[in-house]
Amino acid sequence: TIDVAEYACRRAIELAELAGDDVGAGWAHAWLMLLLLGGGREADAPEHGERALALLEPLGETRELAEALRLIGQFQWRVGEGVEAEASSRRAAAIADRVGAADIQAAAVQDLAVELTQTGRTREALETVEEAFRLADQAGDRMNLQRAYNNMASTLAQFGQDLPRAKRIAEEGLELARRAGGLGWQAWVEGTL
């Protein structure tokens, strides 16, 4: 549940701070921000995103900074801060690329594609979701790839006018979810189909 996850994040922050681990504390603050949003405590969340950046940015470009920026972008997108979300997602993807964090780069580019669809920039969204799909496939991370199959299929169906390709991609994603035993992923892709 969110309460258990929140407790785990707060405990991770506490332990990281005791150990003088700014990277670990910053990473946990970023995740706590998103958990608080998911738990309906949107007003309490931004301070944790700010704290994550305050801890991570002085350390330079790292995998953890890229992930924190990606999560901040998700938060901003979900609360209607589209311009800020796009900037955070683009920065996350660029840093992830430079530090070799292919999984985070793939996820950040997917976030960006979703953000672009919601701001009416469909041509750019289609190009971006194609790139996200390619990156997720290259990264080989099953979570990113499953999400990419769903996002690619739904974006193509909604904005690309290529329903046969969208259906084919969704069916491939469904097969991947079945092989992995991911019931949640199966349900998600079934909904897209």
Side-chain angles (χ1 to χ4, degrees):
T1 69
I2 288 185
D3 291 339
V4 173
E6 180 183 342
Y7 171 79
C9 275
R10 290 189 185 280
R11 185 71 175 135
I13 291 167
E14 180 184 322
L15 293 172
E17 288 173 348
L18 284 171
D21 177 7
D22 288 348
V23 171
W27 179 85
H29 273 289
W31 276 103
L32 180 56
M33 172 200 60
L34 212 54
L35 286 170
L36 290 171
L37 175 64
R41 294 175 34 215
E42 179 182 317
D44 298 334
E47 71 181 84
H48 293 284
E50 292 165 11
R51 185 71 181 134
L53 292 182
L55 289 165
L56 295 170
E57 285 183 323
L59 304 174
E61 292 188 345
T62 62
R63 173 182 180 80
E64 291 80 10
L65 176 59
E67 179 72 345
L69 286 164
R70 185 184 80 77
L71 296 173
I72 288 167
Q74 275 196 12
F75 174 84
Q76 292 165 327
W77 156 58
R78 290 178 182 182
V79 299
E81 299 172 1
V83 172
E84 295 86 352
E86 181 180 340
S88 294
S89 294
R90 286 186 188 280
R91 186 171 171 218
I95 291 172
D97 183 36
R98 287 192 291 270
V99 301
D103 57 333
I104 295 170
Q105 181 186 14
V109 173
Q110 284 193 69
D111 292 345
L112 178 60
V114 171
E115 293 157 10
L116 291 169
T117 65
Q118 295 188 343
T119 59
R121 292 158 58 195
T122 55
R123 177 188 223 147
E124 190 177 357
L126 285 163
E127 293 168 2
T128 304
V129 80
E130 290 276 4
E131 176 70 2
F133 190 74
R134 184 188 66 74
L135 289 169
D137 190 39
Q138 284 180 346
D141 174 37
R142 192 172 63 207
M143 293 285 285
N144 271 330
L145 189 55
Q146 190 66 62
R147 183 174 172 230
Y149 271 106
N150 192 69
N151 286 338
M152 180 75 164
S154 63
T155 303
L156 281 173
Q158 288 180 326
F159 306 108
Q161 308 296 324
D162 191 347
L163 294 177
R165 183 172 178 225
K167 183 179 178 190
R168 208 170 38 255
I169 289 170
E171 288 170 342
E172 289 172 15
L174 183 58
E175 181 57 31
L176 176 67
R178 285 183 179 138
R179 283 194 318 263
L183 295 177
W185 292 113
Q186 287 180 44
W188 195 25
V189 178
E190 286 279 359
T192 297
L193 276 168

